[in-house]
Amino acid sequence: MTDQFDPTPSDRFTFGLWTVGNPGGDPFGPAVRPSKSPLELVEGLAQVGAWGVNLHDNDLIPFGSSPSERDRIVSEFRAAVDSAGLCVPMATTNLFSHPVFRDGAFTASDPKVRAYAVRKAMRAIETGVELGAQTIVFWGGREGCESDACRDVRDAIKWYRDAYDFLGGWVKEQGWDLRFALEAKPNEPRGDIYLATTGHILHFIETLEHAEMIGVNPEVAHENMPGLSMVHAVAQAMEASKLFHIDLNAQRIGRYDQDLRFGSEDAKGAFFLVRLLEGTGGYDRYEGPRHFDAHAYRTEDWDGVWDFARGCMRTYKILAARAAAFDADPEVREILEAGQADPDSVGELIGSFDAERCAKLEALELDPEALAAVGKRYERLDQLAMEHLLGVRG
Ligand code: GCO
Ligand code: MN
Ligand code: MN
């Protein structure tokens, strides 16, 4: 079947090698699918219409490979990516699997572990640059603890800052035009992970030496696990010009990290997220890659994995079309415009303080009872959103 919802390269859809390559193991049982090599995964991704492929250093280069093995693996991979017509827009470092990171990587109490982690990240960044990546993601899966007896959180945050200050400076010294995107998660695998939400990270970035090259990589599942709104996290990041990357998937609130097919849970949340990224409701469109950090159900064989990948991309495009229809709907526009109407130019009185504005504000006739009597029509507005989302309108 081909239709307007099939992906094209201009959609900039990407998957990680670890996402479609997930063989279905979980803490209760082993892998259920025979694993595929990175080269086979690249081929499969090209076939389903993805634009790019992302990777951790160790998704491609086994831990402990010699420099010559590493060079051979990277150049073979690069050739496969080129011949499949894909690209590698993002690379990241696995700072969580090896037992050396059992107490953290950049925030481990042992300075030698921190040094090892920073050096591993440098090698992963070099690989990313060799493959053409413009964004380096950092997900600190082991940066946290089970017991706060182990270290003062302020030390951990300081060591975290030291690592990004060092890596940012090193990247600049190499002359590379790279951006870092930091990814928050509240817990799992650690009992508590430091910098638990996108909001925590947005503040942390402002304390870094190379803040201008550092932004965020919010993930739907990670904001939803503790019941927070991904839409609000992403909007705040966009407003701060810090949305450097995004991890799209789906999640039920309050569960372990489910990494489900994009849009397969909380379709309304996904609709408003896509609307935000596409800019149909106002402001600029997010122009970066649309990355899916999810994996197929454990029930699936390899055909099911490609169904999963197609499903992520199709749902995104369907939601983009639904969002455009919602924002073009005259009734929607009418409700939104009426809600924000400002015939007396009152809105402009609030901003940087000055005496003239203050005098005008003080002189306004404001009747709280009359203001309170106005219904906002959001029931109707939300029903319109639902009808667009469900495909019965527009
Ligand atoms: C997870 C994370 C990871 C990261 C990845 C990129 O919960 O396991 O989402 O998938 O996104 O390691 O750094
Ligand atoms: Mn995740
Ligand atoms: Mn992620």
Side-chain angles (χ1 to χ4, degrees), residues 122-123 125-126 165-174 176:
M122 290 161 77
R123 300 293 85 79
I125 294 170
E126 285 166 353
D165 287 350
F166 182 93
L167 289 169
W170 176 73
V171 160
K172 283 186 181 170
E173 208 215 33
Q174 307 300 307
W176 293 328

Side-chain angles (χ1 to χ4, degrees), residues 18 56 90 92-93 96 137-139 183 185 188 217 219 222 247 249 257 259 291 293:
W18 71 96
H56 298 89
M90 179 275 262
T92 182
T93 319
F96 43 89
V137 160
F138 290 92
W139 172 63
E183 178 176 347
K185 186 174 182 179
E188 196 195 316
N217 178 40
E219 172 168 319
H222 299 181
D247 277 5
N249 57 17
D257 189 14
D259 287 337
H291 173 67
D293 186 9

Side-chain angles (χ1 to χ4, degrees), residues 117-156:
V118 167
R119 222 164 61 185
K120 188 171 194 288
M122 290 161 77
R123 300 293 85 79
I125 294 170
E126 285 166 353
T127 301
V129 168
E130 203 172 325
L131 294 170
Q134 292 112 34
T135 307
I136 306 296
V137 160
F138 290 92
W139 172 63
R142 297 281 173 196
E143 315 291 8
C145 62
E146 288 66 45
S147 167
D148 287 314
C150 70
R151 71 180 73 83
D152 191 310
V153 181
R154 289 166 293 189
D155 284 330

Side-chain angles (χ1 to χ4, degrees), residues 3 6 12 27 31 33 45 75 78 119 128 130 150 158 167 184 238 249 299 303 308 367:
D3 61 23
D6 281 342
R12 296 167 73 93
R33 294 181 279 271
L45 283 173
S75 72
R78 172 138 212 184
R119 222 164 61 185
E130 203 172 325
C150 70
K158 184 193 167 298
L167 289 169
M238 289 175 91
N249 57 17
T299 50
D303 289 339
F308 147 85
D367 175 357

